[in-house]
Amino acid sequence: QDIRRFAKKPILIAVDHEGGRVQRFREGFTAIPAMGEILRQSEHQDESAAYAKACGLALAYELKTLDIDFSFAPVLDINGVSQVIGNRAFADNADDVIRLATHLIQGLKAVNMPAIGKHFPGHGSVAPDSHVALPVDEREFDEIQRTDMVVFKRVIERAMLDGVMPAHVIYNQVCDKPAGFSPKWLQEVLKGDLGFNGAVFSDDLSMHGASVAGGYVERAEAALDAGCDMVLACNNPKGAESILDGIAPRYANVSNDDEVRQERVMALYGRVLPAGLRGKY
């Protein structure tokens, strides 16, 4: 309430609240399991589907009661060799990830919460943690498409994603830039080939995987130029302030591209209850 009051304009408030080790609110909240536990705790497909939907419903309902608009969820990565993904992923294969993510998103949407899929085109098949390193995935595009990106493709085809977050990973057989700074990945593949027209969020620009783009302002500029609509600076207040100050001149004269970017972000408000109804369930 204080954040919204001091902002003096409509804003979106979001959080990383996936379940398991990535659950920001704990005391007084349902303990959401890591998504990888859903299959382990379920004996049948119907049971795992119901479990995934219940997780999405509980997650969304409890965040909404705090007037938080959405979580950066679900994780659409494959549980492969990644040190940072692991059981944050639903499964080690695309079919199960697609199936369970679909049901979790149904739970989110039951209480009007947007779904933000991450980390495009897939972070699970490269070992290093992009929070502390710059992962390089050396696979060819066809293998990435078949193994990891197919999850995003199928969920986008079902019109279930309101937003996408790209990975701070370099797929060096496709582009020499991390996906979140790559027009090839964001403009050509995500928006062009896959037809995604929702909002694109950068991953946290304070992560080491973003440092390849330079300082904080350079990182923000590179992400916006590549095709991100909104940039995140989560763990460095000074960095966030420098971004706000540094990119202000960019918006002195709003271009057509900036207007389209604004429209994609503003569309998320359509998935959020009006202020007068927030928190009233």
Side-chain angles (χ1 to χ4, degrees):
Q1 290 173 345
D2 287 344
I3 290 170
R4 293 193 189 280
R5 185 170 71 253
F6 285 109
K8 297 180 181 178
K9 60 182 178 180
I11 60 171
L12 293 164
I13 299 179
V15 64
D16 274 336
H17 189 84
E18 305 165 8
R21 69 182 187 274
V22 185
Q23 178 165 341
R24 304 306 185 208
F25 299 97
R26 295 186 179 273
E27 185 176 350
F29 278 73
T30 299
I32 305 293
M35 296 298 98
E37 292 297 308
I38 292 176
L39 275 181
R40 291 185 67 251
Q41 300 296 331
S42 307
E43 294 184 2
H44 307 288
Q45 281 201 0
D46 288 348
E47 186 178 30
S48 62
Y51 195 0
K53 185 174 182 178
C55 286
L57 184 61
L59 183 158
Y61 177 88
E62 292 179 343
L63 290 181
K64 284 277 192 163
T65 60
L66 288 188
D67 202 7
I68 293 173
D69 294 317
F70 57 89
S71 172
F72 290 106
V75 169
L76 297 180
D77 302 308
I78 302 292
N79 185 358
V81 299
S82 173
Q83 299 169 4
V84 71
I85 300 302
N87 69 356
R88 292 170 64 192
F90 287 97
D92 61 3
N93 66 88
D95 288 343
D96 280 330
V97 174
I98 294 165
R99 181 174 62 85
L100 294 176
T102 296
H103 288 288
L104 181 125
I105 292 171
Q106 289 173 352
L108 299 179
K109 305 243 171 159
V111 288
N112 215 41
M113 177 167 280
I116 315 295
K118 60 187 184 185
H119 306 82
F120 178 82
H123 196 316
S125 297
V126 61
D129 178 354
S130 53
H131 291 85
V132 296
L134 178 56
V136 177
D137 189 326
E138 298 185 346
R139 295 174 300 157
E140 298 287 344
F141 178 79
D142 287 349
E143 184 178 352
I144 297 167
Q145 185 179 42
R146 181 175 62 254
T147 305
D148 302 76
M149 199 174 77
V150 64
V151 178
F152 291 87
K153 183 176 188 294
R154 294 286 181 260
V155 180
I156 289 170
E157 285 174 347
R158 296 174 183 180
M160 302 195 78
L161 287 183
D162 303 281
V164 165
M165 177 184 289
H168 286 324
V169 175
I170 294 176
Y171 305 86
N172 66 357
Q173 300 302 308
V174 181
C175 181
D176 61 358
K177 299 176 181 178
F181 301 126
S182 167
K184 168 75 175 180
W185 278 114
L186 300 185
Q187 303 282 5
E188 185 176 326
V189 179
L190 178 61
K191 298 180 182 181
D193 296 345
L194 301 189
F196 181 69
N197 59 8
V200 179
F201 295 87
S202 78
D203 204 345
D204 181 9
L205 296 181
S206 69
M207 291 164 57
H208 183 77
S211 63
V212 66
Y216 277 88
V217 176
E218 290 78 15
R219 298 177 198 187
E221 292 279 8
L224 292 167
D225 289 341
C228 289
D229 300 305
M230 186 175 284
V231 297
L232 307 184
C234 306
N235 293 303
N236 188 313
K238 291 296 183 184
E241 290 173 8
S242 69
I243 290 171
L244 290 170
D245 293 338
I247 68 171
R250 178 190 183 106
Y251 297 105
N253 297 298
V254 178
S255 68
N256 289 337
D257 287 345
D258 293 326
E259 289 179 353
V260 172
R261 178 180 288 117
Q262 276 190 332
E263 288 173 5
R264 284 194 290 261
V265 173
M266 292 298 291
L268 289 170
Y269 286 96
R271 298 296 309 163
V272 176
L273 289 175
L277 298 177
R278 285 187 178 128
K280 294 184 179 180
Y281 290 91

